[in-house]
């Protein structure tokens, strides 16, 4: 059946708390929807093996392109920072990561494909771009337990680094720590080490940090969930705050003090059903939580540090 996509302000950027529903024209289940940096383009990923690009004008969504190239369900899409042009990465059950580019306007073409014969042997479940200050760097989490880092080179090739998850179980999510304003506003100054988090089928969250010599070493394992970790998300303005969600029906807020990470539940009683995705608003003051069958709640931290639910995004289907 035709799918309708619901768009939340805190997650994807439009009016605070408003939800918009429209027919995406996908022929199967919808897995992801992401607005670009300027909220002018929306990319959707579906089990019908395609990605659709919409031009956004107010509440109008006009289909601009349909991208093929995957041989299985497309799980996630991710826009690169606009300083690199119009680039969209996608990952799929087919074990492939594709980086698509629009140039000139209206013309899309794949510029890189990382196939399962290369890095990944199984479904690629999640992708995320590193902060643009590090260059064009894409993290990819795979069901074979590996995390692959793709890095664009000066000669237009892509270098591939494979990080082995100690559990060897599937990896469901990847997310990079942000670059804080004091580093971003100091051009040419030293950047902090590249840092990322993953969530896995072994119920753990892992923090990976690149050392000055470029190696990744052994990740830090954070235990606290009782089932598969489905998503991880660093706060956009704080590399010492990380949120994780799990099929155990909980969301944990992790905070780093010194070298230690400690967790506390987002809400005391947990959620009524498995929690699939967590996403911060651009400013980091709202957290959107997607649980169960398309239920989305918005959360805000009080001055005392407690988290409170501020809205349920209505289901407009």
């Amino acid at each position: 059946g035709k799918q309708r996509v619901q768009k939340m302000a805190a997650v994807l950027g439009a009016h605070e708390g408003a939800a918009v529903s429209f027919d995406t024209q996908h022929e199967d289940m919808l897995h992801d929807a992401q607005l670009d940096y300027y909220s002018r383009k929306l990319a959707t990923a579906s089990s019908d093996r395609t990605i659709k690009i919409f031009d956004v004008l107010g509440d109008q969504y006009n289909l601009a392109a349909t991208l093929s190239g995957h041989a299985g369900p497309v799980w996630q899409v991710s826009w690169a920072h606009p300083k690199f042009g119009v680039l969209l990465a996608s990952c799929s059950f087919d074990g492939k990561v594709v980086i698509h580019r629009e140039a000139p306007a209206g013309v899309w073409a794949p510029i890189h494909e990382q196939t399962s014969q290369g890095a990944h042997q199984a479904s690629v479940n999640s992708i995320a771009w590193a902060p643009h200050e590090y260059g064009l760097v894409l993290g990819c989490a795979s069901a074979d337990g590996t995390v692959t880092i793709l890095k664009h080179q000066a000669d237009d090739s892509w270098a591939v680094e494979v990080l082995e998850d100690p559990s060897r179980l599937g990896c469901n999510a990847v997310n990079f720590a942000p670059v804080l304003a004091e580093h971003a506003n100091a051009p040419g100054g030293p950047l902090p080490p590249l840092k990322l988090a993953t969530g896995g089928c072994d119920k753990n969250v892992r923090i990976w940090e690149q050392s000055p010599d470029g190696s990744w070493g052994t990740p830090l394992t954070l235990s606290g969930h009782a089932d598969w970790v489905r998503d991880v998300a660093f706060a956009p303005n704080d590399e010492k705050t990380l949120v994780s969600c799990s099929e155990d029906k909980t969301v944990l807020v992790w905070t780093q003090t010194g070298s230690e990470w400690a967790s506390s539940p987002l809400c005391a009683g947990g959620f009524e059903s498995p929690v699939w995705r967590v996403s911060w608003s651009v400013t980091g003051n709202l957290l959107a939580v997607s649980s169960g069958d398309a239920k989305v709640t918005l959360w805000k931290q009080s001055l005392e540090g407690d988290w409170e639910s501020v809205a349920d995004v209505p289901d407009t289907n």
Side-chain angles (χ1 to χ4, degrees), residues 251-308:
V251 173
L252 295 180
V253 181
W254 301 86
T255 48
Q256 183 185 15
T257 307
S259 59
E260 297 293 315
W261 287 83
S263 70
S264 58
L266 182 73
C267 56
F271 290 77
E272 296 171 1
S273 44
V275 189
W276 306 112
R277 298 289 289 273
V278 282
S279 181
W280 295 89
S281 61
V282 175
T283 55
N285 64 346
L286 278 179
L287 179 71
V289 176
S290 173
S291 61
D293 187 15
K295 181 177 172 67
V296 175
T297 51
L298 303 182
W299 297 77
K300 192 168 191 172
Q301 194 170 23
S302 70
L303 294 174
E304 293 76 39
D306 301 319
W307 287 87
E308 47 202 34

Side-chain angles (χ1 to χ4, degrees), residues 140-193:
C140 317
S142 172
D144 64 8
T146 59
V147 180
T148 302
I149 310 293
L150 301 179
K151 192 164 189 176
H152 186 256
Q153 305 295 299
D155 65 359
D156 228 19
S157 65
W158 292 80
V160 182
E161 281 184 277
V162 180
L163 315 184
E164 294 283 350
D165 189 293
S167 75
R168 292 300 180 95
L169 294 174
C171 202
N172 299 318
V174 59
N175 188 251
F176 285 90
V179 172
L180 301 188
E182 60 260 33
H183 297 295
N185 296 333
L191 285 170

Side-chain angles (χ1 to χ4, degrees), residues 89-91 95-99 112-130 136-152 158-165 170-176 194 196-198 208 210 216:
S90 59
C91 65
K96 216 161 47 168
V97 171
V98 181
I99 298 170
H112 183 71
E113 291 189 6
Q114 193 66 42
T115 64
S116 54
Q117 287 76 35
H120 290 290
Q121 303 301 313
S123 172
V124 184
N125 295 328
S126 178
I127 47 175
W129 292 101
L136 209 45
V137 178
L138 184 71
C140 317
S142 172
D144 64 8
T146 59
V147 180
T148 302
I149 310 293
L150 301 179
K151 192 164 189 176
H152 186 256
W158 292 80
V160 182
E161 281 184 277
V162 180
L163 315 184
E164 294 283 350
D165 189 293
C171 202
N172 299 318
V174 59
N175 188 251
F176 285 90
L194 193 56
L196 61 89
T198 57
W208 307 73
Q210 193 172 29
W216 285 88

